[in-house]
Amino acid sequence: MEVVVCRDYQEMSKSAAAMVAQLLRRKPHAVLGLATGSTPLGLYKELIRLHKQEGLDFSQVTSFNLDEYVGLDPQHDQSYHYFMHENFFRHININLRQVHVPSGTAKDYGAFCQWYEQRIKECGGIDLQVLGIGSNGHIAFNEPLSSLQSRTRIKTLARQTIEDNARFFARREDVPIFAVTMGVGTIMEARRIVLLANGGAKAKAVAAAVEGPVSAMITASALQMHPDCTFYADDDAAAGLTMRDYYQWIQAHPPAAPTIQ
Ligand code: F6R
């Protein structure tokens, strides 16, 4: 895992956008894994800017979102379908037929989740997965004790997640208690992962995920086992990291084969 401590949210969003742009320039038909929530908004904003001002092309991109609330239809203003269209898809030239967001209104969730997994495989697997992190250390909606090999399925949201997400709903009681989510195992199959964390409310989760033991109690800790994961944290989110100096030292001295002088 590479840990990058950023000065602020803007720097973090721009660095992550540069990573996505670099991939799309090399592989225009890349498959992106996308997240919702407050964290990736700056990343989407920067990607929209790169599209509008620098011609970054999304026309051949396929995307898969991590999760959706059970019971919210795509028109609901708190559904993740709606979020993605409003904050990203409608501003870029992505082909909407190549966009996938889990269904929150499936008749048969078992069949739907199997189809979603199958569809990711048919599209060649995810090249780059964008993640946020919950204050309880979740990735997607893989709440504490989710199997680290889990696949797309329905999860019951933790009380902490419901509290955290209540800010988006008129009333706390309106927050759905179930979600369809990619599993930790699904996420771990992405070829590359970039996790973004900002704000002091994430500091404990970031420290546990990066420096704690790999544990199903903090599903983001599974990323320690991923061969190509970049973990971005802004100053506040990085506050609990004990090896912070070392991460910054590595950034200042990128690994290279030592040479004999
Ligand atoms: C959203 C998702 C969640 C969020 C996490 C952080 O698709 O998968 O894991 O990334 O709950 O949410 P924010 O960014 O709102 O703090």
Side-chain angles (χ1 to χ4, degrees), residues 68-74 76 78-81 103-105 169 174 176:
E68 177 59 287
Y69 290 117
V70 166
L72 301 195
D73 64 54
H76 190 290
Q78 290 310 324
S79 76
Y80 288 168
H81 280 79
S103 171
T105 53
F169 291 81
D174 296 339

Side-chain angles (χ1 to χ4, degrees), residues 190-236:
R191 283 182 269 281
R192 194 163 188 202
I193 294 181
V194 54
L195 185 144
L196 306 174
N198 69 296
K202 302 289 173 71
K204 232 170 115 188
V206 167
V210 174
E211 295 181 342
V214 174
S215 158
M217 283 298 285
I218 302 283
T219 52
S221 66
L223 301 173
Q224 292 177 26
M225 308 284 286
H226 193 277
D228 193 354
C229 173
T230 307
F231 204 113
Y232 284 106
D234 76 350
D235 224 36
D236 294 336

